[in-house]
Amino acid sequence: MDNPMLEARNLSVRFQDPKGDIFLIQDINLSLKHGEIFALVGESGSGKTTLACALTKLFLPFSGYETSGDIYFEEHKLLELEDHALRQIRKNNIRYVFQEPAQSLNPISRIKTQYVDAIVNAAPMEANRAVERATIELKNVGIENPDDVLRSYPHELSGGTLQRILIALALSPNPDLIIADEPTSSVDAPLRFQLLDLLDNARKNGRSSVLLITHDLNIANRYADTVAVMYAGRIVEVAPKDMFFDAPFHPYSQMLCKGARLTDSFIDDLALLSEHPPHPSDLPRGCKFHPMCSKVQDDCRLFEPQLESIEVERKVRCPYWK
């Protein structure tokens, strides 16, 4: 069996609050294979973006965030690397695509300046060659007028074009891993699949893996090889995509899948989902999902279950999943 490209072991992030430390994510264990799309799903506030940032310590100094555990990437232990070495990995090996493209670009700098600077910073070359490369890369992501786009400022371009630019920048150094955090949330539905197809093609045509963070289970069903579900800062289920959608095990996963299929029974769960997940500073004792769970038992209120292996490549954080 191939070694995973990326593996997190007992990964936690806590925020140092004056009123007491708050765990935003806790005891995360996951692994990404070479060449796979791994979908991390869950509602807003479940800890998905915090997990994405923690993988390469993408927190500002003195921000109050403290990361613990182990993250293995190829031969590196990322949390033990110096800042310079981590920047090199973010530059060449692990690239991000965030959900708000306008916030990822300098509003007072032309696209050409930003794109060329990014290319030259990753692989030093003459400016005219970098411009030629930028033009080709923008065409490769479906931008038909790359010269006009390069001359533009971010505010002069649509959200879809800006997101194509960020995807092109992410793909530019042929990275080993792309972390895409809700990369299509700011674009219309018809464009959504076009952008996701770009990431899927990069995986198929190269050796890039993709960590796809989304709240949309239909997107996960269409693109993922593996699905992991987050709730209240914990992973509650991991399974190959086909197994997961055929029969989700965790009660929370079942509720999410009912919502994705828009079944009649989901109407009864809408009020519950609107209250989820609980705030990290006010988590219930025991299983964090137990206040809303239809299968709750007495010990669920007292003890938090572990993420246990059920079968090959499948894990669930619930002893009463059957």
Coordinates of all heavy atoms in Angstrom, one line a residue, residues 167-255:
I167 N -7.2 29.7 -9.2 CA -6.9 28.3 -9.5 C -5.7 28.1 -10.4 O -4.9 27.2 -10.2 CB -8.2 27.7 -10.2 CG1 -9.3 27.6 -9.2 CG2 -7.9 26.3 -10.8 CD1 -10.6 27.1 -9.7
A168 N -5.5 29.0 -11.4 CA -4.4 29.0 -12.3 C -3.1 29.2 -11.4 O -2.1 28.5 -11.6 CB -4.5 30.1 -13.3
L169 N -3.1 30.1 -10.5 CA -2.0 30.4 -9.6 C -1.7 29.1 -8.8 O -0.5 28.8 -8.5 CB -2.2 31.6 -8.7 CG -2.0 33.0 -9.3 CD1 -2.6 34.1 -8.5 CD2 -0.5 33.2 -9.6
A170 N -2.7 28.5 -8.3 CA -2.5 27.3 -7.5 C -1.9 26.2 -8.3 O -1.1 25.4 -7.8 CB -3.9 26.8 -6.9
L171 N -2.3 26.0 -9.5 CA -1.8 25.0 -10.4 C -0.4 25.3 -11.0 O 0.3 24.4 -11.4 CB -2.8 24.7 -11.6 CG -4.2 24.3 -11.2 CD1 -5.1 24.2 -12.4 CD2 -4.2 22.9 -10.5
S172 N 0.0 26.5 -11.0 CA 1.2 27.0 -11.7 C 2.4 26.2 -11.4 O 3.1 25.7 -12.3 CB 1.4 28.5 -11.4 OG 2.5 28.9 -12.1
P173 N 2.7 25.9 -10.1 CA 4.0 25.2 -9.8 C 3.8 23.6 -9.9 O 4.7 22.9 -9.4 CB 4.3 25.6 -8.4 CG 3.0 25.9 -7.8 CD 2.1 26.4 -8.8
N174 N 2.7 23.1 -10.4 CA 2.4 21.7 -10.4 C 2.5 21.1 -9.0 O 3.4 20.2 -8.7 CB 3.3 21.0 -11.3 CG 3.1 21.4 -12.8 OD1 2.0 21.4 -13.2 ND2 4.2 21.6 -13.5
P175 N 1.7 21.6 -8.0 CA 1.9 21.2 -6.6 C 1.5 19.8 -6.4 O 0.8 19.2 -7.2 CB 1.0 22.2 -5.9 CG -0.1 22.5 -6.9 CD 0.6 22.5 -8.2
D176 N 2.0 19.2 -5.3 CA 1.6 17.9 -4.9 C 0.2 17.9 -4.3 O -0.6 16.9 -4.5 CB 2.5 17.4 -3.8 CG 4.0 17.3 -4.3 OD1 4.2 16.5 -5.2 OD2 4.8 18.1 -3.8
L177 N -0.2 19.0 -3.6 CA -1.5 19.1 -3.0 C -2.1 20.4 -3.2 O -1.4 21.5 -3.0 CB -1.3 18.8 -1.5 CG -2.6 19.0 -0.6 CD1 -3.7 18.0 -1.0 CD2 -2.2 18.8 0.9
I178 N -3.4 20.5 -3.5 CA -4.2 21.7 -3.6 C -5.3 21.6 -2.5 O -6.0 20.7 -2.4 CB -4.9 21.9 -5.0 CG1 -3.8 22.0 -6.1 CG2 -5.7 23.1 -5.0 CD1 -4.4 21.9 -7.5
I179 N -5.3 22.6 -1.6 CA -6.3 22.7 -0.6 C -7.3 23.8 -1.1 O -7.0 25.0 -1.1 CB -5.7 23.1 0.8 CG1 -4.7 22.0 1.2 CG2 -6.8 23.3 1.8 CD1 -4.0 22.4 2.5
A180 N -8.5 23.3 -1.5 CA -9.5 24.2 -2.0 C -10.7 24.3 -1.0 O -11.4 23.4 -0.8 CB -10.0 23.6 -3.3
D181 N -10.7 25.5 -0.4 CA -11.7 25.8 0.7 C -12.9 26.5 0.1 O -12.9 27.7 -0.2 CB -11.0 26.6 1.8 CG -11.9 26.8 3.0 OD1 -13.0 26.3 3.0 OD2 -11.5 27.5 3.9
E182 N -14.0 25.7 -0.1 CA -15.2 26.3 -0.7 C -14.9 27.1 -1.9 O -15.3 28.3 -2.0 CB -16.0 27.1 0.3 CG -16.4 26.4 1.6 CD -17.7 25.6 1.4 OE1 -18.1 25.4 0.3 OE2 -18.2 25.0 2.4
P183 N -14.2 26.6 -2.9 CA -13.7 27.4 -4.0 C -14.7 27.9 -5.0 O -14.4 28.8 -5.8 CB -12.7 26.4 -4.7 CG -13.3 25.1 -4.5 CD -13.8 25.1 -3.1
T184 N -16.0 27.4 -4.9 CA -17.0 27.9 -5.8 C -18.2 28.6 -5.1 O -19.2 28.8 -5.7 CB -17.5 26.7 -6.6 OG1 -18.1 25.7 -5.8 CG2 -16.4 26.1 -7.4
S185 N -18.0 28.9 -3.8 CA -19.1 29.5 -3.1 C -19.5 30.8 -3.6 O -20.7 31.3 -3.4 CB -18.8 29.5 -1.6 OG -17.8 30.4 -1.3
S186 N -18.6 31.6 -4.2 CA -18.9 32.9 -4.7 C -19.3 33.0 -6.1 O -19.4 34.1 -6.7 CB -17.7 33.8 -4.4 OG -16.6 33.4 -5.1
V187 N -19.6 31.9 -6.8 CA -19.9 32.0 -8.2 C -21.3 31.3 -8.5 O -21.7 30.5 -7.6 CB -18.8 31.3 -9.1 CG1 -17.5 31.9 -8.9 CG2 -18.7 29.8 -8.7
D188 N -21.8 31.6 -9.6 CA -23.1 31.0 -10.0 C -23.0 29.5 -10.2 O -21.9 29.0 -10.6 CB -23.7 31.7 -11.2 CG -24.0 33.2 -10.9 OD1 -24.3 33.5 -9.7 OD2 -24.0 34.0 -11.9
A189 N -24.1 28.8 -10.1 CA -24.1 27.4 -10.3 C -23.6 26.9 -11.6 O -22.8 25.9 -11.6 CB -25.6 26.8 -10.1
P190 N -23.9 27.5 -12.8 CA -23.4 27.0 -14.0 C -21.8 27.0 -14.1 O -21.2 26.2 -14.7 CB -24.0 27.9 -15.1 CG -25.2 28.5 -14.5 CD -24.9 28.6 -13.0
L191 N -21.2 28.0 -13.4 CA -19.8 28.1 -13.4 C -19.1 27.2 -12.4 O -17.9 26.9 -12.5 CB -19.4 29.6 -13.2 CG -17.9 30.0 -13.2 CD1 -17.3 29.6 -14.5 CD2 -17.7 31.5 -12.9
R192 N -19.9 26.8 -11.4 CA -19.3 26.1 -10.3 C -18.6 24.8 -10.8 O -17.5 24.5 -10.4 CB -20.5 25.7 -9.3 CG -20.0 25.2 -8.0 CD -21.2 25.2 -7.0 NE -21.7 26.5 -6.8 CZ -22.9 26.9 -6.5 NH1 -23.8 25.9 -6.3 NH2 -23.3 28.1 -6.3
F193 N -19.3 24.0 -11.6 CA -18.8 22.8 -12.1 C -17.6 23.0 -13.0 O -16.7 22.2 -13.1 CB -19.8 21.9 -12.7 CG -20.9 21.5 -11.7 CD1 -22.2 21.8 -11.9 CD2 -20.5 20.7 -10.6 CE1 -23.2 21.4 -10.9 CE2 -21.5 20.3 -9.6 CZ -22.8 20.7 -9.8
Q194 N -17.6 24.1 -13.8 CA -16.5 24.4 -14.7 C -15.2 24.6 -13.9 O -14.1 24.1 -14.2 CB -16.8 25.6 -15.5 CG -17.9 25.5 -16.5 CD -18.1 26.8 -17.3 OE1 -17.2 27.5 -17.5 NE2 -19.4 27.1 -17.6
L195 N -15.3 25.3 -12.7 CA -14.2 25.5 -11.9 C -13.7 24.3 -11.2 O -12.5 24.0 -11.1 CB -14.5 26.6 -10.9 CG -14.8 28.0 -11.4 CD1 -15.2 28.9 -10.3 CD2 -13.6 28.6 -12.2
L196 N -14.6 23.5 -10.7 CA -14.3 22.2 -10.1 C -13.7 21.2 -11.1 O -12.8 20.4 -10.7 CB -15.5 21.6 -9.4 CG -16.0 22.4 -8.2 CD1 -17.3 21.9 -7.7 CD2 -15.0 22.3 -7.0
D197 N -14.1 21.3 -12.3 CA -13.5 20.4 -13.3 C -12.1 20.7 -13.5 O -11.3 19.8 -13.9 CB -14.3 20.6 -14.7 CG -15.6 19.9 -14.7 OD1 -15.9 19.0 -13.8 OD2 -16.5 20.2 -15.6
L198 N -11.7 22.0 -13.4 CA -10.3 22.4 -13.5 C -9.4 21.7 -12.5 O -8.3 21.2 -12.8 CB -10.1 23.9 -13.4 CG -10.7 24.8 -14.4 CD1 -10.6 26.2 -14.1 CD2 -10.1 24.5 -15.8
L199 N -9.9 21.6 -11.2 CA -9.2 20.9 -10.2 C -9.2 19.4 -10.4 O -8.2 18.7 -10.2 CB -9.8 21.2 -8.8 CG -9.8 22.7 -8.4 CD1 -10.5 22.8 -7.1 CD2 -8.3 23.1 -8.2
D200 N -10.3 18.9 -10.9 CA -10.4 17.5 -11.2 C -9.4 17.1 -12.3 O -8.8 16.0 -12.3 CB -11.8 17.1 -11.6 CG -12.1 15.6 -11.6 OD1 -11.4 14.9 -10.9 OD2 -13.0 15.2 -12.3
N201 N -9.3 17.9 -13.3 CA -8.4 17.6 -14.5 C -7.0 17.7 -14.0 O -6.1 16.9 -14.5 CB -8.7 18.6 -15.6 CG -10.0 18.4 -16.3 OD1 -10.6 17.3 -16.3 ND2 -10.6 19.4 -16.9
A202 N -6.7 18.6 -13.1 CA -5.3 18.7 -12.6 C -4.9 17.4 -11.9 O -3.8 16.9 -12.0 CB -5.2 19.9 -11.7
R203 N -5.9 16.8 -11.2 CA -5.7 15.6 -10.5 C -5.5 14.4 -11.5 O -4.6 13.6 -11.4 CB -6.8 15.3 -9.5 CG -6.7 14.0 -8.7 CD -7.3 12.8 -9.5 NE -8.7 13.0 -9.8 CZ -9.7 12.4 -9.1 NH1 -9.4 11.7 -8.0 NH2 -10.9 12.6 -9.5
K204 N -6.3 14.4 -12.5 CA -6.2 13.4 -13.5 C -5.0 13.4 -14.4 O -4.4 12.4 -14.8 CB -7.5 13.4 -14.4 CG -8.8 13.0 -13.6 CD -10.0 13.2 -14.5 CE -11.3 12.8 -13.8 NZ -12.5 13.0 -14.6
N205 N -4.6 14.7 -14.7 CA -3.5 14.8 -15.7 C -2.1 14.9 -15.1 O -1.1 14.8 -15.7 CB -3.7 16.1 -16.5 CG -5.0 16.1 -17.3 OD1 -5.4 15.0 -17.7 ND2 -5.6 17.2 -17.6
G206 N -2.1 15.1 -13.8 CA -0.8 15.2 -13.1 C -0.8 14.2 -11.9 O -1.4 13.2 -11.9
R207 N -0.1 14.7 -10.8 CA 0.0 13.8 -9.6 C -0.6 14.6 -8.4 O -0.3 14.2 -7.3 CB 1.4 13.4 -9.4 CG 2.4 14.5 -9.2 CD 3.8 14.0 -9.1 NE 4.0 13.0 -8.1 CZ 4.4 13.4 -6.8 NH1 4.7 14.7 -6.6 NH2 4.6 12.5 -5.9
S208 N -1.3 15.7 -8.7 CA -1.8 16.5 -7.6 C -2.9 15.8 -6.9 O -3.8 15.2 -7.5 CB -2.3 17.9 -8.1 OG -1.2 18.6 -8.6
S209 N -2.9 15.9 -5.6 CA -4.1 15.5 -4.8 C -4.9 16.8 -4.4 O -4.3 17.9 -4.5 CB -3.7 14.8 -3.5 OG -3.0 13.6 -3.8
V210 N -6.1 16.6 -4.1 CA -7.0 17.8 -3.8 C -7.7 17.5 -2.5 O -8.4 16.5 -2.3 CB -8.0 18.1 -4.9 CG1 -8.9 19.3 -4.5 CG2 -7.3 18.3 -6.2
L211 N -7.6 18.4 -1.5 CA -8.4 18.5 -0.3 C -9.5 19.5 -0.6 O -9.3 20.7 -0.6 CB -7.6 18.9 0.9 CG -8.4 19.0 2.2 CD1 -9.2 17.8 2.6 CD2 -7.6 19.5 3.3
L212 N -10.7 19.0 -0.9 CA -11.8 19.8 -1.3 C -12.7 20.0 -0.1 O -13.4 19.1 0.4 CB -12.6 19.1 -2.4 CG -13.8 19.8 -3.0 CD1 -13.5 21.2 -3.5 CD2 -14.5 19.0 -4.0
I213 N -12.8 21.2 0.4 CA -13.6 21.6 1.5 C -15.0 22.2 1.0 O -15.0 23.1 0.2 CB -12.9 22.6 2.4 CG1 -11.6 21.9 3.0 CG2 -13.8 23.1 3.6 CD1 -10.8 22.9 3.7
T214 N -16.1 21.6 1.4 CA -17.4 22.0 0.9 C -18.5 21.7 1.9 O -18.4 20.7 2.7 CB -17.7 21.4 -0.5 OG1 -18.9 21.8 -1.0 CG2 -17.7 19.8 -0.4
H215 N -19.5 22.5 1.9 CA -20.7 22.1 2.6 C -21.8 21.5 1.7 O -22.8 21.0 2.2 CB -21.3 23.4 3.2 CG -21.9 24.4 2.2 ND1 -21.1 25.3 1.5 CD2 -23.1 24.5 1.6 CE1 -21.8 26.0 0.7 NE2 -23.0 25.5 0.7
D216 N -21.4 21.3 0.4 CA -22.4 20.8 -0.6 C -22.1 19.3 -0.9 O -21.1 19.0 -1.5 CB -22.2 21.6 -1.9 CG -23.3 21.3 -2.9 OD1 -23.8 20.2 -2.9 OD2 -23.6 22.2 -3.7
L217 N -22.9 18.5 -0.4 CA -22.7 17.0 -0.5 C -22.8 16.6 -2.0 O -22.3 15.6 -2.4 CB -23.6 16.2 0.3 CG -23.0 15.8 1.7 CD1 -22.8 17.0 2.6 CD2 -23.9 14.8 2.4
N218 N -23.6 17.3 -2.8 CA -23.7 17.0 -4.2 C -22.4 17.2 -4.9 O -22.0 16.4 -5.8 CB -24.8 17.9 -4.9 CG -26.2 17.6 -4.4 OD1 -26.6 16.4 -4.4 ND2 -26.9 18.6 -3.9
I219 N -21.6 18.2 -4.5 CA -20.3 18.4 -5.1 C -19.4 17.3 -4.6 O -18.6 16.7 -5.4 CB -19.7 19.8 -4.6 CG1 -20.4 20.9 -5.4 CG2 -18.2 19.8 -4.8 CD1 -20.0 22.3 -5.0
A220 N -19.4 16.9 -3.4 CA -18.6 15.8 -2.9 C -18.9 14.5 -3.6 O -18.0 13.7 -4.0 CB -18.8 15.6 -1.4
N221 N -20.2 14.3 -3.9 CA -20.6 13.1 -4.5 C -20.1 13.0 -6.0 O -19.8 11.9 -6.5 CB -22.2 13.0 -4.5 CG -22.7 11.6 -4.9 OD1 -21.9 10.6 -5.0 ND2 -24.0 11.5 -5.1
R222 N -20.0 14.2 -6.6 CA -19.6 14.2 -8.0 C -18.1 14.1 -8.2 O -17.6 13.5 -9.1 CB -20.1 15.5 -8.6 CG -19.7 15.7 -10.1 CD -20.4 16.8 -10.7 NE -20.0 17.1 -12.1 CZ -20.7 17.8 -13.0 NH1 -21.9 18.3 -12.6 NH2 -20.3 18.1 -14.2
Y223 N -17.3 14.6 -7.2 CA -15.9 14.7 -7.4 C -15.0 13.9 -6.5 O -13.9 13.6 -6.9 CB -15.4 16.2 -7.3 CG -15.9 17.1 -8.4 CD1 -17.1 17.9 -8.3 CD2 -15.3 17.1 -9.7 CE1 -17.6 18.6 -9.3 CE2 -15.8 17.9 -10.7 CZ -16.9 18.7 -10.5 OH -17.4 19.4 -11.5
A224 N -15.5 13.6 -5.3 CA -14.6 13.0 -4.3 C -14.3 11.5 -4.6 O -15.1 10.8 -5.1 CB -15.2 13.2 -2.9
D225 N -13.2 11.1 -4.1 CA -12.9 9.7 -3.9 C -13.2 9.2 -2.5 O -13.6 8.1 -2.3 CB -11.4 9.4 -4.2 CG -11.0 9.8 -5.7 OD1 -11.6 9.2 -6.6 OD2 -10.2 10.7 -5.8
T226 N -12.9 10.1 -1.6 CA -13.1 9.8 -0.1 C -13.8 11.0 0.5 O -13.6 12.1 0.1 CB -11.7 9.6 0.6 OG1 -11.0 8.6 0.0 CG2 -11.9 9.3 2.1
V227 N -14.7 10.7 1.4 CA -15.5 11.8 2.1 C -15.2 11.7 3.6 O -15.3 10.6 4.2 CB -17.0 11.6 1.8 CG1 -17.8 12.6 2.6 CG2 -17.3 11.8 0.3
A228 N -15.0 12.8 4.2 CA -14.9 12.9 5.7 C -15.9 14.0 6.1 O -16.0 15.0 5.5 CB -13.5 13.2 6.1
V229 N -16.6 13.7 7.2 CA -17.6 14.6 7.7 C -17.1 15.2 9.0 O -16.7 14.4 9.9 CB -19.0 13.8 8.0 CG1 -20.0 14.8 8.5 CG2 -19.4 13.2 6.7
M230 N -17.2 16.5 9.1 CA -16.8 17.2 10.4 C -18.1 17.7 11.1 O -19.0 18.2 10.4 CB -15.9 18.4 10.1 CG -14.5 18.0 9.8 SD -13.3 19.4 10.0 CE -13.2 19.5 11.7
Y231 N -18.0 17.6 12.4 CA -19.1 18.2 13.2 C -18.4 18.7 14.5 O -17.7 17.9 15.2 CB -20.2 17.2 13.5 CG -21.3 17.8 14.4 CD1 -22.3 18.5 13.8 CD2 -21.3 17.6 15.8 CE1 -23.3 19.1 14.6 CE2 -22.3 18.1 16.6 CZ -23.3 18.9 16.0 OH -24.3 19.4 16.8
A232 N -18.7 20.0 14.9 CA -18.2 20.5 16.1 C -16.7 20.3 16.4 O -16.2 19.9 17.4 CB -19.0 20.0 17.3
G233 N -15.9 20.4 15.3 CA -14.5 20.3 15.4 C -13.9 18.9 15.4 O -12.7 18.7 15.6
R234 N -14.8 17.9 15.2 CA -14.3 16.6 15.1 C -14.7 15.9 13.8 O -15.7 16.3 13.2 CB -15.0 15.7 16.2 CG -14.4 15.9 17.6 CD -15.2 16.8 18.4 NE -14.8 16.9 19.8 CZ -14.6 18.0 20.5 NH1 -14.8 19.2 19.9 NH2 -14.2 18.0 21.7
I235 N -13.9 15.0 13.4 CA -14.3 14.1 12.2 C -15.2 13.0 12.8 O -14.8 12.3 13.7 CB -13.1 13.6 11.5 CG1 -12.4 14.7 10.7 CG2 -13.5 12.5 10.5 CD1 -11.2 14.3 9.9
V236 N -16.4 12.9 12.2 CA -17.4 11.9 12.8 C -17.5 10.7 11.8 O -18.1 9.7 12.3 CB -18.7 12.5 13.1 CG1 -18.6 13.6 14.1 CG2 -19.4 13.1 11.8
E237 N -17.0 10.8 10.6 CA -17.1 9.7 9.7 C -16.1 9.9 8.5 O -16.0 11.0 8.0 CB -18.5 9.5 9.1 CG -18.7 8.3 8.2 CD -20.1 7.9 8.0 OE1 -21.0 8.5 8.6 OE2 -20.3 6.9 7.2
V238 N -15.5 8.8 8.1 CA -14.7 8.8 6.9 C -15.0 7.5 6.1 O -15.1 6.4 6.7 CB -13.1 8.8 7.3 CG1 -12.3 8.8 6.0 CG2 -12.8 9.9 8.2
A239 N -15.2 7.7 4.8 CA -15.5 6.5 4.0 C -15.2 6.8 2.5 O -15.2 8.0 2.1 CB -17.0 6.1 4.2
P240 N -14.9 5.8 1.8 CA -14.9 5.9 0.3 C -16.2 6.5 -0.2 O -17.3 6.2 0.4 CB -14.7 4.5 -0.2 CG -14.0 3.8 0.9 CD -14.6 4.4 2.1
K241 N -16.2 7.3 -1.2 CA -17.4 8.1 -1.6 C -18.6 7.2 -1.9 O -19.7 7.5 -1.4 CB -17.0 8.9 -2.9 CG -18.1 9.8 -3.4 CD -19.0 9.2 -4.5 CE -18.2 8.9 -5.8 NZ -17.8 10.1 -6.5
D242 N -18.4 6.1 -2.6 CA -19.6 5.3 -3.0 C -20.2 4.7 -1.7 O -21.4 4.6 -1.6 CB -19.2 4.2 -4.0 CG -18.8 4.8 -5.3 OD1 -19.3 5.9 -5.6 OD2 -18.1 4.1 -6.1
M243 N -19.3 4.2 -0.8 CA -19.9 3.6 0.4 C -20.6 4.6 1.2 O -21.7 4.3 1.8 CB -18.7 3.0 1.3 CG -18.0 1.8 0.7 SD -16.8 1.2 1.9 CE -16.1 -0.2 1.0
F244 N -20.1 5.8 1.3 CA -20.7 6.9 2.1 C -22.1 7.2 1.6 O -23.0 7.3 2.4 CB -19.8 8.1 2.1 CG -20.4 9.3 2.9 CD1 -20.3 9.3 4.3 CD2 -21.0 10.3 2.3 CE1 -20.9 10.3 5.0 CE2 -21.6 11.3 3.0 CZ -21.5 11.4 4.4
F245 N -22.2 7.5 0.4 CA -23.5 7.9 -0.2 C -24.5 6.7 -0.3 O -25.7 7.0 -0.3 CB -23.3 8.6 -1.5 CG -22.8 10.0 -1.3 CD1 -21.4 10.3 -1.6 CD2 -23.6 11.0 -0.8 CE1 -20.9 11.6 -1.4 CE2 -23.1 12.3 -0.6 CZ -21.7 12.6 -0.9
D246 N -24.0 5.5 -0.4 CA -24.9 4.4 -0.4 C -25.5 4.2 1.0 O -26.7 3.9 1.1 CB -24.2 3.1 -0.8 CG -23.9 3.0 -2.3 OD1 -24.6 3.8 -3.0 OD2 -23.1 2.2 -2.7
A247 N -24.7 4.4 2.1 CA -25.2 4.1 3.4 C -24.3 4.9 4.4 O -23.4 4.4 5.0 CB -25.2 2.6 3.7
P248 N -24.7 6.2 4.7 CA -23.9 6.9 5.7 C -24.2 6.3 7.1 O -25.3 5.9 7.4 CB -24.5 8.3 5.6 CG -25.8 8.1 5.0 CD -25.7 7.0 4.0
F249 N -23.2 6.2 7.9 CA -23.3 5.5 9.2 C -23.7 6.5 10.3 O -24.5 6.2 11.1 CB -22.0 4.8 9.5 CG -21.8 3.5 8.8 CD1 -20.6 2.8 8.9 CD2 -22.8 3.0 8.0 CE1 -20.4 1.6 8.2 CE2 -22.6 1.8 7.3 CZ -21.4 1.1 7.4
H250 N -22.9 7.5 10.5 CA -23.1 8.4 11.6 C -24.5 9.1 11.5 O -24.9 9.5 10.4 CB -22.0 9.5 11.7 CG -21.9 10.2 13.0 ND1 -22.8 11.2 13.3 CD2 -21.2 9.9 14.1 CE1 -22.5 11.6 14.6 NE2 -21.5 10.9 15.1
P251 N -25.2 9.3 12.6 CA -26.5 9.9 12.6 C -26.4 11.4 12.0 O -27.4 11.8 11.3 CB -27.0 10.0 14.0 CG -26.3 8.8 14.7 CD -24.9 8.7 14.0
Y252 N -25.4 12.1 12.2 CA -25.2 13.4 11.6 C -25.0 13.3 10.1 O -25.6 14.1 9.3 CB -24.1 14.1 12.2 CG -23.8 15.5 11.6 CD1 -24.7 16.5 11.7 CD2 -22.6 15.8 11.0 CE1 -24.5 17.8 11.1 CE2 -22.3 17.0 10.4 CZ -23.3 18.0 10.5 OH -23.0 19.2 9.9
S253 N -24.2 12.3 9.6 CA -24.0 12.1 8.2 C -25.4 11.8 7.5 O -25.7 12.2 6.4 CB -23.0 11.0 8.0 OG -21.8 11.2 8.6
Q254 N -26.2 10.9 8.2 CA -27.5 10.6 7.7 C -28.4 11.8 7.5 O -29.1 11.9 6.5 CB -28.1 9.5 8.6 CG -27.4 8.2 8.6 CD -27.9 7.3 9.7 OE1 -28.8 7.6 10.4 NE2 -27.2 6.1 9.8
M255 N -28.3 12.7 8.5 CA -29.1 13.9 8.4 C -28.7 14.8 7.2 O -29.5 15.3 6.5 CB -29.0 14.7 9.7 CG -30.0 15.9 9.8 SD -29.8 16.8 11.3 CE -30.5 15.6 12.5

